[in-house]
Amino acid sequence: MKGKTRLKALTAMLLGASMLAGCAKTGDSGSAGNAGGTAVVEGATYTYNFSQYDTPTTFNPHDNDIVDPITEYTEIGMWTLILNDTCDGYEWFCEMAASEPEDVTAQYAGDEKWDIPADATEGYAWKVTLNPDAKWEDGTPINADSYIYSMQNMLSPEMNNYNASNYYSKLPIKNAENYYKSKQGASKAAVASDFGEYADYGDSKLYVSFTLPTVAFYDYSAEDYYSDSEPYLNEAGEDLLDKYGSEDYVEVTDEVIADVNYMLKDWYMMDEIDETSYLDMAFYDKVLEPKTFEEVGFFKTGDYELTVILYSPLSPYFFKYYSSTYALVNEEKYEAGKTQTGDMIKTNYATSADTYKSFGPYKLVSMQADKEFRLTKNENWYGWTDGRHEGQFQTTDIVATVVEDSSTTELLFLQGKLDYYALAGNALSKYQGSDFIIYFPNPYIYFLNINNDVDSLMSRQEEGESRLILTNLEFRKGISLSLDRSKFLAQQGYGKPMYGYVSDMFVYDVETGVSYRDSEPAIETLKTFYGVSDIDEITGYDLDAARECLVNGYNQALEEGLCTETDKFVFDYPTWTNEAGYVKEVNFIQDSLDAATAGTPLEGRITVNMVVNENFYDALDNGEYDLCMAAWNGSPSNPYGLMEFFVTDYSSPQCYLGFDPESETLEIELNGEKVTKTYFDWYNALYSGEYAIADSDIRNQILASMELGLLQKYRDCPFWSASSSALLGRKVSYPTYDYVNEVSFGGIRFMTYNYTDEEWDKYCSENNYQLNYQ
């Protein structure tokens, strides 16, 4: 799994911070400046207003290539993730399904028609009982036949729908791809599904691609990672993107194999690679046996019952997650919109209010292109009367207005005509201190990296200078403690202070959405590292302690001959550009160190030297820096994978500068037994080895112990995590302002109102339509 996983395009600094709030789904919780929702007034209207850059040209779930803003409100899934009762995670809630899916694998195991292994016991076959109260917006019942019609059209080979692959790649329905591609003949398929895992391509022709996503480039294309300063070269020095990048598929020849393998040897940073490595970028002509829809593993077993057969098993969580709406469309409208051109059939379904029917809480009333769309309550939605949705969906109407520029959006928001305003640019600093701000986290985590590698520091050290002082642990600790992260982020106008290597966004249990950061081992790691009894006391900043550590480190360095009493300490700090944000960043580090060394022998002797380098990551990989701000990200559902960036060279050799994770060991106590491994071996055991499927308590203990051990080295000092931000209008409230993966702050389902529409109009008028959110 070697390779350089950082995209060269990671140059933008993102936004964000944190928010504190309790949880109350009944509207008694304070919110971002709001007092919390008031009691619902019978007969009153509650309209949610927001802006869009445009109106969608289509919101047909079969053929829509964007996430549209309409079906989010007009459609609802079989099972839906919603905010849990304590607002710190999520839970499944049955909607279009009457109950949890029933695993019936044992009933179909060994069945030749479906090719399910005879010894299979779970995950392959599922019975879905449908909600008998579900109706279209006109009151027409929705039953099993509705779903069969919808799926047959979604997968129709004549319709070539954009989203058909969702039902054979994400939800792996048996024979769905065969039916969908039954008239296509051969199609290109990737040989590698993961490193070292190759499809049986038989005698098929092989191709490589520099323009399409491949395993070699972590499901990006080689073109995505390309840099003029670091081209993909063959042994003759030819640029392979120039040579092979003009077409998506290049037929494999001996020359292509030699070129690609030579390039991948550099890309994987290996002295030698297997001669079959080119398969990591290869495709083959995949010929599927044509199937009819009757042979697809999606069929009716009752008027309100479906059975779904999969070609690879899924857990209950992921079966529900990928089932979505089962591509449900209204047959009457869908058929009325069909037209045929040659062998191709298309429909105008869901291109206007007249060509669409809702089955969710709201229905589309009107849509004017490039102006607005309006939704109102769907009176035939079962949720209003089933007794299961009390306290949900207080909103009665939704209006989305097309606004093309941020300044106009801000103006409308301040007039009370919009209830939501996404912040960007200068607005970030303008509203940074607002009580009405909300934050959406991003998986990027930023660290101040301190180079402590003797060789790379020595290679750039000049007469009268000492960079080697950075090899002193106490000195590095002093640098970290000198940094007031909250002050920095307030100055920059974005971000949330980070105190560990894993942000709140990373969950260890996808079933519940609970953050790793909320696990007991993770909490204890931060309390131990920062020496506090309550994590709310952590700031990461202590000027007096920083001064003491810097001076102690300096004195130790003097004794060890790493510096003299007259040496200057010049620390190179690489940045992408000399833009104002980077200048502020470097000045902040400089000012922090100046403050921490004032009145000490180090006063005036430390210089943070900004070095603009468009080959930023090359500088980091080669150790051509002393201090730098680096960033990593990962899958929010896999916090354990983040350790790759700290204890392996799979992503970059940078983590090996001054640290040898393959020889340095860490002792961890598990179930009362002390176990010792190298950091590298701990990662492999946790990610893909003996602890890969261990209980979460064990895995969290390992991750937290690794995190603590690495924090104590003060090589990567957690600084901030990225997020985006917005203002939420005074009219509305959420039950929580601590972002929860998958369900955000509760969404329209749990949004409550502090004013009826009539009361809000009066309030805005009384304030001359000039509301204050600063």
Side-chain angles (χ1 to χ4, degrees), residues 160 173 228 232 260 296 302 337 436 476 519 524 559 618 683 696:
N160 195 30
I173 297 177
D228 289 333
Y232 304 128
V260 171
V296 172
F436 298 86
R476 296 198 303 273
S519 71
E524 287 303 314
E559 293 177 7
D618 293 339
Y683 165 75
S696 58

Side-chain angles (χ1 to χ4, degrees), residues 609-654:
N609 179 40
M610 178 172 168
V611 180
V612 176
N613 191 336
E614 64 178 12
N615 300 316
F616 177 81
Y617 282 125
D618 293 339
L620 269 56
D621 289 347
N622 297 327
E624 297 169 359
Y625 72 97
D626 300 299
L627 308 174
C628 74
M629 195 70 73
W632 299 112
N633 78 341
S635 168
S637 62
N638 181 23
Y640 314 105
L642 288 173
M643 286 294 103
E644 171 188 326
F645 305 119
F646 298 96
V647 301
T648 80
D649 63 353
Y650 297 165
S651 305
S652 164
Q654 182 190 1

Side-chain angles (χ1 to χ4, degrees), residues 102-369:
E102 180 183 350
D103 192 327
V104 292
T105 298
Q107 182 179 334
Y108 292 91
D111 189 324
E112 292 184 4
K113 178 178 181 180
W114 303 114
D115 197 28
I116 294 176
D119 59 352
T121 59
E122 59 185 10
Y124 281 94
W126 299 87
K127 184 170 74 174
V128 178
T129 302
L130 302 175
N131 185 343
D133 297 325
K135 297 179 176 64
W136 296 104
E137 64 179 69
D138 62 3
T140 303
I142 296 172
N143 55 28
D145 291 329
S146 308
Y147 288 97
I148 296 300
Y149 170 85
S150 299
M151 187 62 73
Q152 184 167 9
N153 278 271
M154 167 62 99
L155 298 174
S156 168
E158 290 84 10
M159 299 200 71
N160 195 30
N161 283 312
Y162 182 85
N163 292 317
S165 63
N166 290 342
Y167 293 96
Y168 57 78
S169 59
K170 294 180 179 179
L171 184 67
I173 297 177
K174 182 70 175 178
N175 293 333
E177 185 178 11
N178 301 64
Y179 172 60
Y180 177 64
K181 296 180 178 179
S182 58
K183 297 187 178 181
Q184 293 183 17
S187 60
K188 298 292 191 296
V191 172
S193 57
D194 202 343
F195 290 93
E197 296 182 10
Y198 303 126
D200 180 6
Y201 51 86
D203 296 328
S204 168
K205 281 186 178 180
L206 293 179
Y207 311 83
V208 297
S209 180
F210 282 74
T211 60
L212 298 172
T214 60
V215 162
F217 293 86
Y218 291 83
D219 296 325
Y220 288 92
S221 70
E223 189 174 35
D224 289 332
Y225 279 90
Y226 183 81
S227 168
D228 289 333
S229 63
E230 195 177 6
Y232 304 128
L233 303 178
N234 61 10
E235 193 167 11
E238 297 175 291
D239 188 322
L240 296 188
L241 192 63
D242 289 341
K243 186 173 182 180
Y244 299 126
S246 61
E247 50 188 318
D248 286 340
Y249 300 102
V250 178
E251 188 172 341
V252 166
T253 63
D254 289 344
E255 180 183 3
V256 169
I257 292 174
D259 284 350
V260 171
N261 280 344
Y262 188 88
M263 177 202 74
L264 289 177
K265 184 170 67 172
D266 175 64
W267 176 250
Y268 291 162
M269 297 176 288
M270 300 176 69
D271 294 330
E272 298 292 335
I273 61 173
D274 192 273
E275 62 183 12
T276 61
S277 293
Y278 74 95
L279 293 175
D280 292 345
M281 293 179 64
F283 292 79
Y284 70 105
D285 288 319
K286 183 177 181 180
V287 180
L288 295 170
E289 180 184 356
K291 298 288 185 179
T292 64
F293 185 72
E294 287 67 31
E295 297 173 285
V296 172
F298 189 90
F299 49 91
K300 170 184 173 181
T301 46
D303 288 344
Y304 287 92
E305 184 179 285
L306 299 169
T307 295
V308 184
I309 307 291
L310 309 179
Y311 61 79
S312 62
L314 290 179
S315 69
Y317 175 90
F318 285 108
F319 178 73
K320 289 183 287 188
Y321 192 87
Y322 291 126
S323 287
S324 185
T325 65
Y326 288 142
L328 185 61
V329 292
N330 180 266
E331 182 174 357
E332 176 192 354
K333 296 289 186 180
Y334 200 91
E335 286 295 321
K338 281 185 176 180
T339 57
Q340 184 166 354
T341 304
D343 293 332
M344 181 68 68
I345 299 174
K346 287 295 177 183
T347 179
N348 70 352
Y349 183 75
T351 55
S352 68
D354 293 334
T355 58
Y356 175 73
K357 284 187 181 178
S358 160
F359 57 89
Y362 303 96
K363 62 182 179 182
L364 181 63
V365 177
S366 64
M367 183 169 70
Q368 300 179 60

Side-chain angles (χ1 to χ4, degrees), residues 441-600:
N442 178 290
Y444 277 101
I445 305 164
Y446 290 75
F447 312 90
L448 180 72
N449 179 267
I450 304 175
N451 186 356
N452 67 313
D453 179 64
V454 172
D455 292 340
S456 62
L457 294 172
M458 279 285 290
S459 68
R460 292 175 295 103
Q461 186 167 287
E462 297 182 3
E463 187 69 27
E465 290 182 357
S466 173
R467 300 176 194 262
L468 287 176
I469 196 170
L470 295 179
T471 63
N472 182 274
L473 176 62
E474 194 76 359
F475 193 84
R476 296 198 303 273
K477 180 178 179 180
I479 292 175
S480 180
L481 289 172
S482 74
L483 305 174
D484 187 338
R485 291 154 176 81
S486 295
K487 180 180 178 181
F488 170 76
L489 296 174
Q491 166 191 294
Q492 299 291 77
Y494 52 75
K496 173 184 177 180
M498 275 291 294
Y499 306 117
Y501 294 141
V502 185
S503 76
D504 296 335
M505 189 173 187
F506 289 80
V507 301
Y508 71 84
D509 184 355
V510 295
E511 296 283 351
T512 62
V514 179
S515 168
Y516 159 76
R517 220 41 300 154
D518 290 331
S519 71
E520 191 60 32
I523 291 172
E524 287 303 314
T525 277
L526 294 190
K527 287 164 62 175
T528 299
F529 180 66
Y530 290 100
V532 298
S533 58
D534 187 334
I535 58 172
D536 290 337
E537 301 171 18
I538 297 172
T539 66
Y541 172 66
D542 187 329
L543 186 60
D544 292 336
R547 182 176 291 115
E548 181 180 348
C549 289
L550 289 168
V551 172
N552 288 343
Y554 169 65
N555 289 332
Q556 292 170 13
L558 284 174
E559 293 177 7
E560 296 168 6
L562 299 178
C563 64
T564 70
E565 293 182 347
T566 59
D567 278 344
K568 298 289 186 180
F569 305 99
V570 180
F571 301 142
D572 289 342
Y573 192 106
T575 63
W576 282 95
T577 69
N578 60 359
E579 292 176 359
Y582 290 120
V583 174
K584 285 183 179 180
E585 183 177 298
V586 174
N587 287 343
F588 176 82
I589 304 292
Q590 180 70 67
D591 292 344
S592 299
L593 291 173
D594 288 346
T597 56
T600 75

